[in-house]
Amino acid sequence: MKKIGIIGCGWLGNHIAEHLSDQYEIFPTTTSVSKIQEFKSKGYFPTLVSFPDEADAEMKQWSVVSILDAVIIAVPFSGLRGSQIPMTGKRENLIRFLGDFQGQIFYTSSTGVYPDIEKEFTEDDKPASEVESESFILEKFPQTNILRLGGLMGGERLLKNYTISHLDQLVNHIHYADICLVIEKMLNNHSQSKVYNIVAPVHPNKEEIINAQKSLPYSGERTEKGRLISSEKLISELDFEFRYPDPRYFHL
């Protein structure tokens, strides 16, 4: 059975691990001692490691990296949109941890790389070489696939469960199940050096979604203007069909 490493097995990493566990041996990392036994009980092979903000001269290469077929990096190595948080040391630690890995790499970035203006953005609007939080890993591992994820939703993560403002704002959301399916397809295709926006292709506003999740009617009109992230490249190149194309129905 092939082997896959998941650096940062939190909410998203756990979903990815569960989705792929019937096809791959799972080698997750965690910062929590309490999760080690939990992962072992699932048949995973965990590693306890953290990536401090300051460069750690003692950071060693991942002991299992030489036997892995692919690595998914599902822990943030960038600040929130618009923030200027220096992360040079943390990124350096990641590079050391990966050593000279030659297999497939998936790096979970964010649609936050695009500016907050009313426009439909494609991957060409912001090449990865111009995004500091993406280019650092491509310089060392040019085979890395950059996955620019929309707002993470699905399961217990539903808009109706949160206090929400700007209800008329269009969303760029993605269900975790579709992220898992994209990664699975890219693994099977042996994809390398790709940059994809992973965002549901339908963009309702927040009020539409909340009403749908509460089984309430929506009588308003959806604006056609807003900050929209296109997933057309993903759909076209991967021949990808979303399981959850419309955020109004993420709860079903």
Side-chain angles (χ1 to χ4, degrees):
M1 185 177 281
K2 289 186 175 182
K3 300 171 175 59
I4 195 163
I6 302 178
I7 297 178
C9 210
W11 184 82
L12 177 60
N14 262 299
H15 283 299
I16 296 170
E18 289 172 6
H19 182 80
L20 297 175
S21 60
D22 62 340
Q23 305 171 60
Y24 292 83
E25 290 183 328
I26 306 295
F27 292 77
T29 75
T30 178
T31 60
S32 173
V33 174
S34 64
K35 284 191 174 182
I36 293 293
Q37 192 55 46
E38 175 188 334
F39 286 148
K40 286 182 177 180
S41 70
K42 294 180 177 181
Y44 304 166
F45 304 90
T47 297
L48 184 68
V49 66
S50 62
F51 299 95
D53 293 336
E54 299 297 325
D56 181 2
E58 301 301 314
M59 178 65 70
K60 305 296 184 186
Q61 178 178 301
W62 198 358
S63 61
V64 301
V65 75
S66 63
I67 66 170
L68 299 177
D69 296 284
V71 170
I72 299 168
I73 302 167
V75 63
F77 284 87
S78 63
L80 295 174
R81 182 173 8 147
S83 67
Q84 299 297 320
I85 302 173
M87 304 193 80
T88 305
K90 187 173 184 178
R91 294 168 185 166
E92 183 178 321
N93 293 330
L94 172 67
I95 297 298
R96 289 181 180 178
F97 189 65
L98 288 171
D100 59 354
F101 184 66
Q102 300 296 310
Q104 274 183 293
I105 298 179
F106 297 84
Y107 177 79
T108 57
S109 183
S110 165
T111 55
V113 301
Y114 300 110
D116 191 10
I117 59 176
E118 290 189 352
K119 171 181 163 55
E120 183 174 48
F121 290 96
T122 71
E123 293 84 349
D124 291 338
D125 288 311
K126 202 73 172 176
S129 60
E130 298 177 7
V131 180
E132 182 191 18
S133 60
E134 297 174 351
S135 62
F136 86 95
I137 194 164
L138 289 170
E139 290 171 3
K140 175 66 176 177
F141 303 101
Q143 77 270 30
T144 301
N145 297 298
I146 305 294
L147 309 181
R148 293 174 176 169
L149 308 180
L152 301 178
M153 292 289 167
E156 75 282 3
R157 288 195 179 193
L158 298 173
L159 277 190
K160 70 173 184 177
N161 296 333
Y162 300 92
T163 301
I164 301 297
S165 59
H166 306 294
L167 291 178
D168 61 339
Q169 187 177 64
L170 303 183
V171 305
N172 297 287
H173 287 173
I174 183 67
H175 195 290
Y176 70 79
D178 280 312
I179 299 173
C180 295
L181 290 170
V182 168
I183 291 174
E184 180 183 16
K185 192 156 193 176
M186 293 180 73
L187 283 165
N188 293 338
N189 288 356
H190 306 288
S191 301
Q192 292 197 339
S193 308
K194 297 294 186 179
V195 179
Y196 290 131
N197 296 330
I198 305 184
V199 177
V202 180
H203 304 274
N205 66 41
K206 296 175 183 178
E207 186 176 5
E208 287 181 87
I209 296 172
I210 292 170
N211 282 24
Q213 291 171 355
K214 292 182 175 181
S215 299
L216 298 173
Y218 175 74
S219 57
E221 293 185 6
R222 184 190 303 173
T223 176
E224 298 299 320
K225 300 181 71 174
R227 177 180 175 275
L228 300 178
I229 312 300
S230 171
S231 54
E232 284 305 310
K233 180 183 176 184
L234 170 73
I235 294 169
S236 174
E237 290 191 2
L238 275 188
D239 190 26
F240 186 75
E241 184 174 345
F242 284 82
R243 181 177 293 177
Y244 294 94
D246 191 334
R248 288 176 296 179
Y249 307 113
F250 279 6
H251 62 297
L252 301 179

